[in-house]
Amino acid sequence: THAHRNYDDDVPENVKARRLSEVISAFYNESEKKNQGEIGKIHLVLVEGPSKKNQFELVGRSCNNKKIIFPSSPLLKAPCSPRIHPSRGDYVLTRVTSSSAQSLRGELLDFSTMASYYGLTAQPTIEDQSAVAQDEMRG
């Protein structure tokens, strides 16, 4: 840049470090506030796979690209079928129960699809209707 080519860097390293620390702190504080607003909301999550830190938890991304971590527990994928654990590529509904600056934690509710979550099918399941209604009531 023009400034880089024509001006000396007269800002001390300790000032640079302090300013960077302030920017990072402000970012994390705002991110944490925004994520706290997600508590209680229901999200459609694309399962990415097992959590790196806990083999009994799964990680996925919500439609707004937020990372959600939730316990892996078996669910019914279809009526009269055995319960199975969600796996990579499945869409599931999760309710956010807690948050941090970097991720959300949730509880697993049910299998779902994008079409039923967004009301694009003629007959969404009762669970999908209930989940969407609860999400709308919470705001």
Side-chain angles (χ1 to χ4, degrees), residues 19-92:
R19 289 177 180 173
L20 177 61
S21 177
E22 289 173 2
V23 168
I24 291 170
S25 178
F27 171 80
Y28 279 112
N29 287 339
E30 289 304 310
S31 179
E32 191 166 7
K33 285 179 192 175
K34 190 166 184 166
N35 282 348
Q36 284 178 349
E38 297 293 323
I39 294 174
K41 292 184 178 179
I42 294 173
H43 288 277
L44 179 67
V45 174
L46 176 61
V47 178
E48 293 180 340
S51 168
K52 293 177 186 174
K53 295 181 181 179
N54 185 336
Q55 66 180 354
F56 301 109
E57 292 182 324
L58 295 171
V59 176
R61 295 279 174 173
S62 67
C63 292
N64 57 2
N65 202 33
K66 293 199 182 253
K67 181 165 65 168
I68 300 183
I69 303 165
F70 51 93
S72 177
S73 57
L75 297 170
L76 290 175
K77 194 161 190 170
C80 302
S81 67
R83 291 182 174 271
I84 59 172
H85 286 270
S87 58
R88 177 178 298 195
D90 286 333
Y91 281 103
V92 295

